[in-house]
Amino acid sequence: MTTKNRIINSAIKNFLVFGYEKTSLSLIASEVGIKKPSIYYYFKNKEELFIFSINHILDSVEQEIINSIKKVDTSKLMLESIFTCMIEFNSNLSLLIGNDYNKPINILNLFHLARNRFSSLSERIDNYYNFLETTILNIIKIGQNNNKIRKDLDDKSLAIKIIAWFEGLFMLSTIYSSFNINTIRQSFYDNMWKMISCENEYIPPKKEKKGFFKNKSKPKTISLGTKW
Amino acid sequence: MTTKNRIINSAIKNFLVFGYEKTSLSLIASEVGIKKPSIYYYFKNKEELFIFSINHILDSVEQEIINSIKKVDTSKLMLESIFTCMIEFNSNLSLLIGNDYNKPINILNLFHLARNRFSSLSERIDNYYNFLETTILNIIKIGQNNNKIRKDLDDKSLAIKIIAWFEGLFMLSTIYSSFNINTIRQSFYDNMWKMISCENEYIPPKKEKKGFFKNKSKPKTISLGTKW
DNA sequence: GTCTATACGCAGATAGAC
DNA sequence: GTCTATCTGCGTATAGAC
């Protein structure tokens, strides 16, 4: 592994854990086992190192998603493989960070900072989400054509919704300690599929008239009490 | 408005836009129209000011959610009012930031930083999500009892999923410029309700046998091509 | 390529006058 | 309560030797 690569690795690690400002070049240098001025031999400044790191992460995750989709051939499995891929990419980043840091990692955070600070990264991140959106949209269309995904759901807005769902889960797992993504990932995906797919076997309740929900009849008052 | 309140307002504003490190006390002071050492009269240090600000935000949003739920009486409207409340709280923060900054705000970012840095905030944020989770869970239970929300969806995991969904939308709107939350908020909610509610009028396709999806029969190969 | 030495600026924070 | 003046530390970045 070249010095340059070791610098990049350490940079990604520290940017993920501490953010941009709090990551110091001295820290990166000491982790790599060189002195601070040596970093300037490879990168013009901190900004260039950061931009390089983020681009590197985005290139990798896009490539992994493309590869993983190719291995399966149903819309259900394709969506699942994107989901798995995103989770595993996250896990790999966690691994990169190592056991020393047991703080949750949050790549979205870094993306947000990257966007605000550097316009070139703003474009790159848009490209990434554009790629995700188009990919998922196409999978949905295939699923709808094959009668596997509900046609009453608008494809375009469903695509965005799925992305938001995935990202929201990652986000939540880093800011809500009671929530562990690994314990629910399978049930989450199954449940999501249940909602969007034609395999839905829900049988409407028989005690209510079918028109009930459409009427503007005043529903029973539901006490929210103080219990919760 | 007291000096202390003006400091807090400016602090929230700057922490939201620039994050913790990049927000300097000199900047806050100059915005408020005082000198830096005056801040130390009200707050022990930068850390205390930050912790105070985050607690202030969380208290406000919790209160707004509690108030907004009380005004409606069906599970559909309750969920919708939580969603609306979260969106409006976000808009209010945008307003606070003012037109000068047209960068998207992202409160989740700040929560993540807060968690990692200060353990008292870590607890406070957990409390907030616990509150959200319990509130939504109870609404779901009411909805399921009244045959308005699908009973084949697990209530507890649905609650988490809804939170992830909302937060994911906010997150996405700040890191994906093609996506504007305001243009899709109503269709998003309607669509979500379509997925979780008993009002689902989806009719399974007639050309396929019902057992088709359950068989492990090899599906047609779907070419992903290079077009996308 | 990697180092030592060092410039420079700005951050958080304090002392003490008014 | 608010200020001026000042301390201290650490960050990015550069010059130039080896």
Side-chain angles (χ1 to χ4, degrees), chain A residues 52-97:
Chain A
F52 193 97
S53 303
I54 297 290
N55 276 318
H56 182 76
I57 291 176
L58 286 168
D59 292 346
S60 308
V61 72
E62 274 185 9
Q63 201 49 54
E64 285 190 26
I65 289 174
I66 291 171
N67 292 341
S68 73
I69 293 177
K70 280 183 187 158
K71 291 177 191 156
V72 292
D73 52 9
T74 63
S75 47
K76 181 180 182 181
L77 289 174
M78 282 179 195
L79 281 184
E80 192 167 2
S81 74
I82 290 179
F83 183 49
T84 306
C85 201
M86 288 169 83
I87 289 184
E88 265 160 26
F89 193 77
N90 245 272
S91 303
N92 286 340
L93 288 177
S94 286
L95 222 70
L96 175 73
I97 286 170

Side-chain angles (χ1 to χ4, degrees), chain A residues 109 126 133 176-177 191 200, chain B residues 109 126 133 161 176-177 200:
Chain A
N109 237 311
D126 269 348
E133 189 182 355
Y176 182 26
S177 70
N191 235 298
N200 175 8
Chain B
N109 238 311
D126 269 348
E133 188 183 355
K161 222 164 299 182
Y176 182 27
S177 69
N200 175 8

Side-chain angles (χ1 to χ4, degrees), chain A residues 13-134:
Chain A
K13 181 169 152 179
N14 285 293
F15 284 138
L16 277 169
V17 178
F18 302 114
Y20 183 73
E21 333 287 344
K22 195 76 175 166
T23 294
S24 73
L25 297 181
S26 336
L27 181 65
I28 294 176
S30 82
E31 267 192 10
V32 173
I34 56 174
K35 298 293 170 186
K36 196 164 51 168
S38 300
I39 296 177
Y40 286 89
Y41 176 77
Y42 298 99
F43 298 95
K44 208 180 76 193
N45 50 27
K46 190 180 179 180
E47 174 177 335
E48 194 179 280
L49 174 57
F50 180 72
I51 292 176
F52 193 97
S53 303
I54 297 290
N55 276 318
H56 182 76
I57 291 176
L58 286 168
D59 292 346
S60 308
V61 72
E62 274 185 9
Q63 201 49 54
E64 285 190 26
I65 289 174
I66 291 171
N67 292 341
S68 73
I69 293 177
K70 280 183 187 158
K71 291 177 191 156
V72 292
D73 52 9
T74 63
S75 47
K76 181 180 182 181
L77 289 174
M78 282 179 195
L79 281 184
E80 192 167 2
S81 74
I82 290 179
F83 183 49
T84 306
C85 201
M86 288 169 83
I87 289 184
E88 265 160 26
F89 193 77
N90 245 272
S91 303
N92 286 340
L93 288 177
S94 286
L95 222 70
L96 175 73
I97 286 170
N99 298 330
D100 348 2
Y101 310 87
N102 55 5
K103 291 171 187 173
I105 62 138
N106 190 334
I107 189 80
L108 294 178
N109 237 311
L110 217 51
F111 285 176
H112 185 250
L113 184 142
R115 276 201 76 92
N116 277 3
R117 198 72 63 87
F118 309 111
S119 63
S120 75
L121 287 179
S122 175
E123 272 180 48
R124 180 67 187 86
I125 291 167
D126 269 348
N127 281 348
Y128 167 67
Y129 281 103
N130 220 306
F131 156 78
L132 261 190
E133 189 182 355
T134 320

Side-chain angles (χ1 to χ4, degrees), chain B residues 149-212:
Chain B
I149 291 179
R150 289 167 60 170
K151 285 178 181 165
D152 62 329
L153 301 175
D154 176 57
D155 53 3
K156 205 161 157 45
S157 89
L158 184 57
I160 282 284
K161 222 164 299 182
I162 289 175
I163 298 175
W165 221 347
F166 289 169
E167 297 289 28
L169 276 186
F170 292 126
M171 196 70 211
L172 207 58
S173 75
T174 66
I175 50 172
Y176 182 27
S177 69
S178 311
F179 171 64
N180 182 338
I181 198 163
N182 283 314
T183 60
I184 69 132
R185 64 184 266 189
Q186 193 56 49
S187 87
F188 169 81
Y189 186 77
D190 292 345
N191 235 297
M192 187 193 87
W193 184 254
K194 218 189 261 181
M195 290 189 199
I196 68 170
S197 76
C198 301
E199 301 180 34
N200 175 8
E201 300 188 11
Y202 173 74
I203 296 136
K206 281 157 194 170
K207 289 183 183 176
E208 305 275 13
K209 289 176 192 171
K210 217 200 161 191
F212 179 82

Side-chain angles (χ1 to χ4, degrees), chain A residues 16-18 21-22 69-70 72-75 78 103-106 108-113 115-117 125-126 129-131 133-136 138-139 142 146-154 157-158 160-165 167-169 171-172 174-179 184 187-188 191-192 194-202 204-205 207-208 210 212-214 218-224 228, chain B residues 16-18 21-22 69-70 72-75 78 103-106 108-113 115-117 125-126 129-130 133-136 138-139 142 146-154 157-158 160-165 167-169 171-172 174-179 184 187-188 191-192 194-202 204-205 207-208 210 212-214 218-224 227-228:
Chain A
L16 277 169
V17 178
F18 302 114
E21 333 287 344
K22 195 76 175 166
I69 293 177
K70 280 183 187 158
V72 292
D73 52 9
T74 63
S75 47
M78 282 179 195
K103 291 171 187 173
I105 62 138
N106 190 334
L108 294 178
N109 237 311
L110 217 51
F111 285 176
H112 185 250
L113 184 142
R115 276 201 76 92
N116 277 3
R117 198 72 63 87
I125 291 167
D126 269 348
Y129 281 103
N130 220 306
F131 156 78
E133 189 182 355
T134 320
T135 307
I136 292 177
N138 276 282
I139 295 173
I142 294 171
N146 293 356
N147 281 322
K148 300 212 172 179
I149 291 178
R150 291 168 58 171
K151 285 178 180 165
D152 62 329
L153 301 175
D154 176 56
S157 89
L158 184 57
I160 281 283
K161 223 164 297 182
I162 289 175
I163 298 175
W165 221 346
E167 297 289 28
L169 275 187
M171 196 70 212
L172 208 56
T174 66
I175 50 171
Y176 182 26
S177 70
S178 312
F179 172 63
I184 70 132
S187 87
F188 169 80
N191 235 298
M192 187 194 86
K194 217 188 264 181
M195 290 189 200
I196 69 171
S197 77
C198 301
E199 301 178 33
N200 175 8
E201 300 187 10
Y202 172 75
K207 290 182 181 175
E208 305 274 11
K210 218 200 159 188
F212 179 81
F213 304 110
K214 286 183 176 171
K218 194 176 181 308
K220 296 161 222 161
T221 306
I222 295 143
S223 166
L224 285 173
W228 53 285
Chain B
L16 278 169
V17 179
F18 302 114
E21 331 289 343
K22 196 75 176 166
I69 293 177
K70 281 183 188 159
V72 293
D73 53 9
T74 63
S75 47
M78 282 179 194
K103 293 171 184 173
I105 63 137
N106 189 335
L108 294 178
N109 238 311
L110 217 51
F111 285 176
H112 184 251
L113 184 142
R115 276 201 75 92
N116 277 2
R117 199 72 64 87
I125 291 166
D126 269 348
Y129 281 103
N130 220 307
E133 188 183 355
T134 319
T135 306
I136 292 177
N138 276 282
I139 295 173
I142 293 171
N146 292 357
N147 281 322
K148 301 212 170 176
I149 291 179
R150 289 167 60 170
K151 285 178 181 165
D152 62 329
L153 301 175
D154 176 57
S157 89
L158 184 57
I160 282 284
K161 222 164 299 182
I162 289 175
I163 298 175
W165 221 347
E167 297 289 28
L169 276 186
M171 196 70 211
L172 207 58
T174 66
I175 50 172
Y176 182 27
S177 69
S178 311
F179 171 64
I184 69 132
S187 87
F188 169 81
N191 235 297
M192 187 193 87
K194 218 189 261 181
M195 290 189 199
I196 68 170
S197 76
C198 301
E199 301 180 34
N200 175 8
E201 300 188 11
Y202 173 74
K207 289 183 183 176
E208 305 275 13
K210 217 200 161 191
F212 179 82
F213 305 110
K214 286 184 177 171
K218 195 175 181 308
K220 296 161 222 162
T221 305
I222 296 145
S223 166
L224 283 174
K227 199 177 131 204
W228 53 284

